[in-house]
Amino acid sequence: MLRELGISGGTLIMGLVIGYFVIKWAVREAIIEAHYSITGEKSKEEKMIEEALENDREVRRAARAAKEAD
């Protein structure tokens, strides 16, 4: 059957592995989104990302202020 499709066994296995991880990622993201819509509470990862972005903004503001002061 694989010969009729023109693929080898290794290609089939790689496709199945990639499909597994894509589906796993999609289900995980859907669960996180549903949790947020039900509870209104952000996940730990979203909170961590927001903190990192805020820290980055502060560093950029400080750098911009230092550059303007020179």
Side-chain angles (χ1 to χ4, degrees), residues 31-43:
I31 290 171
I32 290 171
E33 186 176 331
H35 180 266
Y36 176 71
S37 66
I38 292 170
T39 63
E41 186 177 297
K42 294 183 180 180
S43 69

Side-chain angles (χ1 to χ4, degrees), residues 6-69:
I7 61 174
S8 66
T11 304
L12 175 67
I13 291 172
M14 287 300 290
L16 291 174
V17 168
I18 290 170
Y20 167 78
F21 285 108
V22 168
I23 291 170
K24 180 181 173 182
W25 171 78
V27 168
R28 182 174 180 267
E29 292 299 315
I31 290 171
I32 290 171
E33 186 176 331
H35 180 266
Y36 176 71
S37 66
I38 292 170
T39 63
E41 186 177 297
K42 294 183 180 180
S43 69
K44 292 178 186 176
E45 291 175 350
E46 289 177 339
K47 291 176 183 176
M48 184 177 67
I49 290 170
E50 287 180 354
E51 288 175 8
L53 289 173
E54 184 60 35
N55 290 339
D56 184 56
R57 283 188 207 113
E58 291 174 7
V59 168
R60 288 177 185 256
R61 282 185 204 129
R64 189 177 309 126
K67 184 178 180 182
E68 291 174 358

